Amino acid sequence: MSEQLTLYFHKISPFSQKVELALIEANAPYSAYQVDFRNKPEWFTSKVNRVGQVPAVTYGGPNVNPDDPSPLSTKIAESNVILEFLADLYPDSGLLPKDPVLRAKVRFFINAITRHVEGTYFDFLRGNESLDNALKAIEFIQELLEEGSDFAIGNHYTIADACISPHLARLKIVTETDMGNFPVGTGYKLGEELKGPKFAKFKKYAERILDRPSFKKIYDEEIIIGYFKRIFTDRVQ
Amino acid sequence: MSEQLTLYLHKIQLALAEANAPYKAYQVDLRNKPEWFTSKVNPVGQVPVLTYGGPNVNPDDPSSLSAKIAESNVILEFLADLYPDSGLLPKDPVLRAKVRFFIDATIKHIEGTYLAFVQGNESFDNVLKAIEFIQELLEEGSDFAVGEHYTIADACISPHLARLKIVTETGIGNFPAGMGYKLGEELEGLKFAKFRKYAQRMLGRPGFKQIHDEEAVIGYFKRRFTNRIQ
């Protein structure tokens, strides 16, 4: 009774990586297709995602080649919507706990990532937000982590872990290379702060979650570094 | 509670009403936050926040044994989990994804673009595109945003629709003078008929009328939006 699932992704996109991680951790079968953004196929925007972004999935319908999507499949876009969809398709995978209160904690964590990481921290990378506020944002996330736990919430890998992992990997690059549109040296400074005792819990969580086989399977640091070199060319003074 | 925040509270009250769920409500004076609220219920001091479980206590004497849940959209999902047969979320994963996509679009285009417009920080054209995006997701002639039942998608957008109506009827907002009325005229046109009809149906629901105090919101808007851009 298994419906086909095809993920349209790109290695540079942290958003499509969230979905890749959840699929692998859930042991879910899927096809994957990398969309060439410098030469975006017309069929992707007209048949898969009008907004033209990854991640996007097709679900159900006949088995077709990914580059020939069927009108009979359901199309789903938005990384966090897809994560919840996978948790619904695989209710015993642990992607979401069964208990409503724990589920709420997972969702609150994801909401915090949207606000503090994809909001404040991204603005910091763009040169539009202070280092102080970026640190406060990371502190907010840290407060939600359980001490010494392998996972963000509870005893199992959830969509909360999938949601933050790609961002943690890129944060590591920023602190090690100082790449970003913030003033010179601020990336290194962020790295120093995160090595301090105040952020020990966050740092340990990040190290553990990036050490997982699922993560190593899909992550290519060189590609991200190359991408960052291309996009971060407008430092604020 | 600050009028600004009743918007987020209303999402939850609508969902609770539609699910027939019993609850107690306690209004927190945000300009004079009780110490117990900040320390025992919500360190960020936000409202709305839900306590769940633990012993039956007075709301102003919260127990450390209850779970504390904040963020309106997280609370909406929590209610859908507590009441799985209420229809707040459909059972089918694809329909559930449609509900969540609608909520995501509401956050981006209404709580993002449209609110920025009202605050004087976004163009008229972009607001129309934002509302058009939402309209595209609505099913023609359907009573609800997604599927055949009231869902958390409807609860999420309804308070915004009520405030949009006020903006278009009174012109209040920090956008240049007249733009509120202009928005109203556009939304009266053929192009936005589907959106308008959906909004009218949502605002006509008994559950909505019970909680919405139009005069209070208008009063708040008059106090809040005093900095029109030129």
PDB file of all heavy atoms in Angstrom, chain B residues 198-210:
ATOM      1  N   TYR B 198     -15.445  33.871   1.373  1.00  0.00           N
ATOM      2  CA  TYR B 198     -14.905  33.036   2.452  1.00  0.00           C
ATOM      3  C   TYR B 198     -14.823  33.853   3.740  1.00  0.00           C
ATOM      4  O   TYR B 198     -15.256  33.398   4.803  1.00  0.00           O
ATOM      5  CB  TYR B 198     -13.520  32.493   2.070  1.00  0.00           C
ATOM      6  CG  TYR B 198     -12.779  31.879   3.235  1.00  0.00           C
ATOM      7  CD1 TYR B 198     -13.134  30.623   3.733  1.00  0.00           C
ATOM      8  CD2 TYR B 198     -11.734  32.566   3.865  1.00  0.00           C
ATOM      9  CE1 TYR B 198     -12.469  30.066   4.820  1.00  0.00           C
ATOM     10  CE2 TYR B 198     -11.069  32.012   4.949  1.00  0.00           C
ATOM     11  CZ  TYR B 198     -11.432  30.762   5.421  1.00  0.00           C
ATOM     12  OH  TYR B 198     -10.782  30.220   6.497  1.00  0.00           O
ATOM     13  N   ALA B 199     -14.306  35.084   3.641  1.00  0.00           N
ATOM     14  CA  ALA B 199     -14.170  35.950   4.814  1.00  0.00           C
ATOM     15  C   ALA B 199     -15.535  36.226   5.444  1.00  0.00           C
ATOM     16  O   ALA B 199     -15.698  36.138   6.670  1.00  0.00           O
ATOM     17  CB  ALA B 199     -13.487  37.262   4.430  1.00  0.00           C
ATOM     18  N   GLN B 200     -16.525  36.530   4.594  1.00  0.00           N
ATOM     19  CA  GLN B 200     -17.869  36.813   5.122  1.00  0.00           C
ATOM     20  C   GLN B 200     -18.420  35.613   5.886  1.00  0.00           C
ATOM     21  O   GLN B 200     -19.007  35.758   6.956  1.00  0.00           O
ATOM     22  CB  GLN B 200     -18.825  37.202   3.994  1.00  0.00           C
ATOM     23  CG  GLN B 200     -18.631  38.643   3.538  1.00  0.00           C
ATOM     24  CD  GLN B 200     -19.197  38.908   2.143  1.00  0.00           C
ATOM     25  OE1 GLN B 200     -19.705  38.003   1.469  1.00  0.00           O
ATOM     26  NE2 GLN B 200     -19.112  40.151   1.705  1.00  0.00           N
ATOM     27  N   ARG B 201     -18.197  34.425   5.331  1.00  0.00           N
ATOM     28  CA  ARG B 201     -18.712  33.229   6.002  1.00  0.00           C
ATOM     29  C   ARG B 201     -18.025  33.024   7.357  1.00  0.00           C
ATOM     30  O   ARG B 201     -18.667  32.689   8.340  1.00  0.00           O
ATOM     31  CB  ARG B 201     -18.515  31.994   5.122  1.00  0.00           C
ATOM     32  CG  ARG B 201     -19.574  31.845   4.043  1.00  0.00           C
ATOM     33  CD  ARG B 201     -19.503  30.471   3.406  1.00  0.00           C
ATOM     34  NE  ARG B 201     -18.183  30.178   2.874  1.00  0.00           N
ATOM     35  CZ  ARG B 201     -17.786  30.467   1.641  1.00  0.00           C
ATOM     36  NH1 ARG B 201     -18.613  31.055   0.794  1.00  0.00           N
ATOM     37  NH2 ARG B 201     -16.580  30.153   1.240  1.00  0.00           N
ATOM     38  N   MET B 202     -16.709  33.239   7.386  1.00  0.00           N
ATOM     39  CA  MET B 202     -15.968  33.045   8.638  1.00  0.00           C
ATOM     40  C   MET B 202     -16.437  34.023   9.702  1.00  0.00           C
ATOM     41  O   MET B 202     -16.617  33.661  10.868  1.00  0.00           O
ATOM     42  CB  MET B 202     -14.464  33.245   8.408  1.00  0.00           C
ATOM     43  CG  MET B 202     -13.785  32.054   7.766  1.00  0.00           C
ATOM     44  SD  MET B 202     -13.862  30.590   8.845  1.00  0.00           S
ATOM     45  CE  MET B 202     -14.650  29.430   7.717  1.00  0.00           C
ATOM     46  N   LEU B 203     -16.620  35.291   9.276  1.00  0.00           N
ATOM     47  CA  LEU B 203     -16.989  36.308  10.249  1.00  0.00           C
ATOM     48  C   LEU B 203     -18.445  36.194  10.665  1.00  0.00           C
ATOM     49  O   LEU B 203     -18.865  36.770  11.653  1.00  0.00           O
ATOM     50  CB  LEU B 203     -16.678  37.711   9.698  1.00  0.00           C
ATOM     51  CG  LEU B 203     -15.216  37.924   9.313  1.00  0.00           C
ATOM     52  CD1 LEU B 203     -14.946  39.375   8.949  1.00  0.00           C
ATOM     53  CD2 LEU B 203     -14.284  37.501  10.431  1.00  0.00           C
ATOM     54  N   GLY B 204     -19.223  35.419   9.889  1.00  0.00           N
ATOM     55  CA  GLY B 204     -20.637  35.222  10.202  1.00  0.00           C
ATOM     56  C   GLY B 204     -20.889  34.062  11.153  1.00  0.00           C
ATOM     57  O   GLY B 204     -21.998  33.865  11.634  1.00  0.00           O
ATOM     58  N   ARG B 205     -19.866  33.289  11.453  1.00  0.00           N
ATOM     59  CA  ARG B 205     -20.058  32.118  12.305  1.00  0.00           C
ATOM     60  C   ARG B 205     -20.369  32.550  13.737  1.00  0.00           C
ATOM     61  O   ARG B 205     -19.736  33.480  14.254  1.00  0.00           O
ATOM     62  CB  ARG B 205     -18.832  31.218  12.303  1.00  0.00           C
ATOM     63  CG  ARG B 205     -18.609  30.517  10.970  1.00  0.00           C
ATOM     64  CD  ARG B 205     -17.381  29.653  11.015  1.00  0.00           C
ATOM     65  NE  ARG B 205     -17.620  28.405  11.729  1.00  0.00           N
ATOM     66  CZ  ARG B 205     -18.236  27.348  11.229  1.00  0.00           C
ATOM     67  NH1 ARG B 205     -18.708  27.390  10.002  1.00  0.00           N
ATOM     68  NH2 ARG B 205     -18.402  26.255  11.946  1.00  0.00           N
ATOM     69  N   PRO B 206     -21.310  31.874  14.393  1.00  0.00           N
ATOM     70  CA  PRO B 206     -21.681  32.245  15.770  1.00  0.00           C
ATOM     71  C   PRO B 206     -20.463  32.243  16.702  1.00  0.00           C
ATOM     72  O   PRO B 206     -20.300  33.143  17.515  1.00  0.00           O
ATOM     73  CB  PRO B 206     -22.669  31.143  16.190  1.00  0.00           C
ATOM     74  CG  PRO B 206     -23.160  30.549  14.922  1.00  0.00           C
ATOM     75  CD  PRO B 206     -22.119  30.750  13.879  1.00  0.00           C
ATOM     76  N   GLY B 207     -19.594  31.249  16.541  1.00  0.00           N
ATOM     77  CA  GLY B 207     -18.394  31.177  17.379  1.00  0.00           C
ATOM     78  C   GLY B 207     -17.548  32.422  17.254  1.00  0.00           C
ATOM     79  O   GLY B 207     -16.944  32.892  18.219  1.00  0.00           O
ATOM     80  N   PHE B 208     -17.519  32.984  16.038  1.00  0.00           N
ATOM     81  CA  PHE B 208     -16.722  34.184  15.844  1.00  0.00           C
ATOM     82  C   PHE B 208     -17.378  35.401  16.467  1.00  0.00           C
ATOM     83  O   PHE B 208     -16.746  36.191  17.170  1.00  0.00           O
ATOM     84  CB  PHE B 208     -16.436  34.440  14.361  1.00  0.00           C
ATOM     85  CG  PHE B 208     -15.424  35.519  14.213  1.00  0.00           C
ATOM     86  CD1 PHE B 208     -14.077  35.238  14.389  1.00  0.00           C
ATOM     87  CD2 PHE B 208     -15.813  36.830  14.019  1.00  0.00           C
ATOM     88  CE1 PHE B 208     -13.129  36.239  14.337  1.00  0.00           C
ATOM     89  CE2 PHE B 208     -14.864  37.848  13.960  1.00  0.00           C
ATOM     90  CZ  PHE B 208     -13.519  37.545  14.122  1.00  0.00           C
ATOM     91  N   LYS B 209     -18.672  35.554  16.213  1.00  0.00           N
ATOM     92  CA  LYS B 209     -19.366  36.730  16.734  1.00  0.00           C
ATOM     93  C   LYS B 209     -19.285  36.808  18.265  1.00  0.00           C
ATOM     94  O   LYS B 209     -19.204  37.883  18.839  1.00  0.00           O
ATOM     95  CB  LYS B 209     -20.825  36.705  16.292  1.00  0.00           C
ATOM     96  CG  LYS B 209     -21.001  36.925  14.806  1.00  0.00           C
ATOM     97  CD  LYS B 209     -22.468  36.927  14.442  1.00  0.00           C
ATOM     98  CE  LYS B 209     -22.657  37.158  12.953  1.00  0.00           C
ATOM     99  NZ  LYS B 209     -24.089  36.994  12.614  1.00  0.00           N
ATOM    100  N   GLN B 210     -19.266  35.619  18.884  1.00  0.00           N
ATOM    101  CA  GLN B 210     -19.228  35.594  20.355  1.00  0.00           C
ATOM    102  C   GLN B 210     -17.974  36.239  20.932  1.00  0.00           C
ATOM    103  O   GLN B 210     -17.998  36.793  22.019  1.00  0.00           O
ATOM    104  CB  GLN B 210     -19.250  34.141  20.833  1.00  0.00           C
ATOM    105  CG  GLN B 210     -20.530  33.749  21.497  1.00  0.00           C
ATOM    106  CD  GLN B 210     -20.609  32.242  21.641  1.00  0.00           C
ATOM    107  OE1 GLN B 210     -19.598  31.553  21.746  1.00  0.00           O
ATOM    108  NE2 GLN B 210     -21.819  31.732  21.640  1.00  0.00           N
TER     109      GLN B 210
END
